[in-house]
């Protein structure tokens, strides 16, 4: 069986935890979009892993990990990720495969990301400064980009890098009066990337299709979340890839119809890092309660996450455009102790009610939420393993979300650890 895991909100829904759990029954885990902007947490006993480029199946010793073509690979982060796991005796030899067609994030991409954000001042997007936008822009522009397979011919790459860096330096100087970067330094780094990463670099599309033909089960791991999708999210406050389920086929060359099940991951409330509209945001003591209790600080940047109520309008939209079959609802434990809990069930925009999420920042910014309010619970639920053992109000909350999103909630998170999970 092939499954795809995708975030239904603005990222950080708990995808890493779900992928790690489901990887136990999968042969291969595939990252298909984004880059080191992602931070996927896996907690196993006392160990806490933050994966940025490596698929979250990496923690399982026998799971094959694939980094597919549409991932923008930051080799520094990837190599560090491989080393961190090696220190914990988790080796990726013979089970990590990186697409030769994946584009590489180089230092000038990170520099450009930073310079652009600084120049935008209060209008900045709040990116992770991981060079994601500039690298995807170069990919689309086609002329000034380096792919993993290009590391195979270093002589040719050296000349190309000189052309690219000359071009970038002209732009950096003209627009930002920035210091030039050195093509030689970047080339030296590329030599080391070639050494360390070429042994893992293959045609991943061929590999995946052969694996599917051979009956292997594959787990496709989305990064970010549907509302950060470049084309279908809250543009321009999005990332630069198709981070919804729609990005999976293009991201790895495997058609959507080869996926048997799409599991959407959502938090029992909503969070967002970076700028952009957020209709259910609670910039008050409720948001602070959620932030403190859920430890809502970015896995990649450490920034405090903006917190708010569950938005059934937004999640239903993600379910619709992703053809999501069922939902994994995480962080139910974080809501413990709140007297009342709200679910946004519709928006009012310019005096008109709608329950279809407008992926349009101008209209979304005007959305007033229409809420349904349910009673909270006080009991500690972090050790509950059966749905029926949850407090009745927590059970009711789950049922209200199912009703409002039209999809069954088949997995419930009650804590960060593998075993703090309820399956229905
Ligand atoms: P991802 O980007 O979707 O993989 O999510 P992140 O790892 O960035 O953020 C999710 C955070 O919530 C991590 O710190 C997880 O360890 C934690 N987490 C995941 N599921 C649960 C849950 O059900 N309850 C609690 N309290 N924490 C969870
Ligand atoms: P995971 O996979 C949450 C957000 C950034 C910013 C916007 C653009 O851990 O869920 P970028 O660096 O991509 O150009 O930033 O997207 N963002 C994320 N927010 N989780 C993520 O990944 C994110 N990846 C990017 O905060 O608002
Ligand atoms: Mg994250």
């Amino acid at each position: 069986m092939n499954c795809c895991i995708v975030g239904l909100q603005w990222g950080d829904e708990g995808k890493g935890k779900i992928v790690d759990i489901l990887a136990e029954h999968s042969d291969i885990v595939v990252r298909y979009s984004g880059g080191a902007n992602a931070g996927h947490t896996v907690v196993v006993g006392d160990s806490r892993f933050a994966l940025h480029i490596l698929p979250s199946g990496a923690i399982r010793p026998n799971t094959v990990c694939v980094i597919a073509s549409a991932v923008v690979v930051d080799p520094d982060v990837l190599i560090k990720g491989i080393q961190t796991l090696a220190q914990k005796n988790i080796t990726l030899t013979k089970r990590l495969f990186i697409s030769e067609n994946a584009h590489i994030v180089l230092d000038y991409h990170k520099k450009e990301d930073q310079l652009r954000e600084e120049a935008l001042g209060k209008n900045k997007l709040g990116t992770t400064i991981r060079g994601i936008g500039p690298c995807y822009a170069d990919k689309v522009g086609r002329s000034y980009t380096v792919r993993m397979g290009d590391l195979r011919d270093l002589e040719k790459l050296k000349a190309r890098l000189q052309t690219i860096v000359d071009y970038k330096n002209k732009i950096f100087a003209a627009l930002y009066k920035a210091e030039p970067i050195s093509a030689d330094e970047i080339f030296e780094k590329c030599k080391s990337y070639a050494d360390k990463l070429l042994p893992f670099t293959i045609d991943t599309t061929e590999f995946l299709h052969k694996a599917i033909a051979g009956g292997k089960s594959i787990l496709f791991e989305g990064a970010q979340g549907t509302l950060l999708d470049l084309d279908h999210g809250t543009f321009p406050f999005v990332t630069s890839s198709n981070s919804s389920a729609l990005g999976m086929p293009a991201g790895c060359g495997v058609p959507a119809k080869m996926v048997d099940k799409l599991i959407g991951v959502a938090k029992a409330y909503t969070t967002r890092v970076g700028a952009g509209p957020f209709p259910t945001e609670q910039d008050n003591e409720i948001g602070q309660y959620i932030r403190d209790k859920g430890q809502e600080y970015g896995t990649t940047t450490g920034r405090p996450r903006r917190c708010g109520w569950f938005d059934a309008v937004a999640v239903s939209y993600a379910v619709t455009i992703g053809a999501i079959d069922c939902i994994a609802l995480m962080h139910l434990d974080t809501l413990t102790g709140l007297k009342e809990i709200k679910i946004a069930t519709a928006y009012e925009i310019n005096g008109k009610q709608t329950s279809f999420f407008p992926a349009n920042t101008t209209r979304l910014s005007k959305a007033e939420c229409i809420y349904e309010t349910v009673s909270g619970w006080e009991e500690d639920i972090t050790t509950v393993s059966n749905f029926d053992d949850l407090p009745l109000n927590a059970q009711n909350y789950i049922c209200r979300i199912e009703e409002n999103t039209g999809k069954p909630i088949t997995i419930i998170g009650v804590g960060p650890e593998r075993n703090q999970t309820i399956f229905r």
Side-chain angles (χ1 to χ4, degrees):
M1 176 149 119
N2 302 326
C3 250
C4 180
I5 306 297
V6 63
L8 298 179
Q9 294 160 324
W10 279 286
D12 301 328
E13 296 91 348
K15 300 176 291 295
K17 170 175 165 169
I18 295 298
V19 169
D20 166 66
I21 288 173
L22 299 181
E24 192 182 2
H25 307 290
S26 311
D27 298 304
I28 303 171
V29 179
V30 185
R31 259 291 297 274
Y32 61 79
S33 68
N37 48 350
H40 295 181
T41 313
V42 176
V43 179
V44 186
D46 290 340
S47 298
R48 188 174 183 276
F49 302 89
L51 299 143
H52 300 287
I53 301 244
L54 283 170
S56 302
I59 312 304
R60 305 258 177 201
N62 299 316
T63 306
V64 169
C65 294
V66 172
I67 298 173
S69 305
V71 174
V72 286
V73 176
D74 181 330
D76 291 327
V77 176
L78 178 55
I79 292 165
K80 193 161 169 237
I82 296 170
Q83 287 166 349
T84 303
L85 292 190
Q87 282 159 8
K88 303 212 173 196
N89 293 323
I90 302 173
T91 162
L92 287 151
T93 315
K94 295 210 172 93
R95 66 178 185 103
L96 170 66
F97 299 101
I98 309 164
S99 170
E100 62 189 359
N101 291 335
H103 291 252
I104 306 181
V105 177
L106 290 166
D107 285 348
Y108 51 79
H109 292 125
K110 288 177 250 189
K111 180 160 175 148
E112 191 172 339
D113 202 352
Q114 187 191 347
L115 290 169
R116 196 184 301 174
E117 283 284 271
E118 280 168 11
L120 284 168
K122 66 177 182 19
N123 294 323
K124 69 179 181 185
L125 301 176
T127 76
T128 58
I129 321 278
R130 293 299 185 272
I132 304 299
C135 185
Y136 276 117
D138 281 348
K139 164 180 160 174
V140 173
R142 294 156 300 162
S143 307
Y144 301 109
T145 184
V146 178
R147 302 201 287 178
M148 286 301 300
D150 296 333
L151 297 173
R152 291 185 185 125
D153 187 343
L154 288 172
E155 273 317 297
K156 201 163 155 195
L157 179 62
K158 190 170 188 180
R160 285 256 325 285
L161 272 176
Q162 191 62 58
T163 312
I164 296 174
V165 170
D166 286 348
Y167 168 80
K168 295 283 176 190
N169 278 337
K170 279 184 204 150
I171 293 180
F172 293 168
L175 295 182
Y176 310 109
K177 298 190 171 45
E179 290 295 308
I181 44 171
S182 151
D184 288 344
E185 268 173 37
I186 293 179
F187 178 66
E188 286 308 312
K189 288 184 88 173
C190 283
K191 283 203 315 211
S192 136
Y193 302 154
D195 247 17
K196 297 193 173 97
L197 297 179
L198 278 182
F200 300 105
T201 304
I202 62 160
D203 179 338
T204 52
T205 309
E206 179 185 8
F207 177 83
L208 288 175
H209 280 279
K210 285 187 172 158
I212 292 168
K216 301 284 187 208
S217 68
I218 305 185
L219 191 57
F220 298 93
E221 175 177 0
Q224 289 78 54
T226 303
L227 307 177
L228 288 170
D229 186 287
L230 177 62
D231 292 299
H232 306 286
T234 50
F235 189 91
F237 304 104
V238 290
T239 190
S240 297
S241 64
N242 287 119
S243 53
S244 67
L246 295 163
M248 179 250 130
C252 61
V254 175
K257 75 182 198 182
M258 288 182 164
V259 175
D260 305 294
K261 199 171 187 182
L262 283 131
I263 304 176
V265 187
K267 273 178 185 153
Y269 45 92
T270 313
T271 62
R272 175 162 207 175
V273 244
F278 179 177
T280 61
E281 181 168 19
Q282 298 299 300
D283 191 8
N284 54 30
E285 69 286 357
I286 289 165
Q288 192 57 45
Y289 183 88
I290 294 173
R291 189 175 305 112
D292 289 343
K293 197 134 188 292
Q295 293 176 22
E296 291 296 356
Y297 295 87
T299 310
T300 299
T301 58
R303 289 179 291 176
R305 295 176 182 145
R306 300 157 66 192
C307 300
W309 297 121
F310 187 87
D311 187 340
V313 182
V315 171
S316 298
Y317 167 76
V319 160
T320 302
I321 69 163
I324 298 300
D325 296 301
C326 56
I327 296 176
L329 194 79
M330 314 308 286
H331 275 268
L332 188 65
D333 54 300
T334 299
L335 296 179
T336 300
L338 289 169
K339 276 214 155 34
E340 285 184 334
I341 303 173
K342 294 186 180 194
I343 303 170
T345 55
Y347 298 154
E348 195 176 295
I349 302 172
N350 296 330
K352 268 175 84 179
Q353 201 167 314
T354 179
S355 53
F356 197 90
F357 182 83
N360 172 295
T361 295
T362 311
R363 273 191 291 144
L364 189 62
S365 306
K366 294 185 185 143
E368 298 284 341
C369 292
I370 297 168
Y371 287 109
E372 171 179 329
T373 303
V374 300
S375 299
W377 59 91
E378 291 289 340
E379 298 90 327
D380 175 23
I381 60 169
T382 55
T383 53
V384 174
S385 52
N386 289 308
F387 181 76
D388 294 340
D389 295 334
L390 283 171
L392 286 180
N393 285 347
Q395 291 187 27
N396 178 53
Y397 182 59
I398 298 287
C399 295
R400 293 314 304 149
I401 291 179
E402 287 183 319
E403 180 76 21
N404 279 297
T405 57
K407 289 294 160 190
I409 293 171
T410 54
I411 304 175
I412 299 163
V414 291
E417 294 222 27
R418 277 178 180 163
N419 63 3
Q420 292 179 298
T421 313
I422 300 172
F423 295 92
R424 286 168 87 203

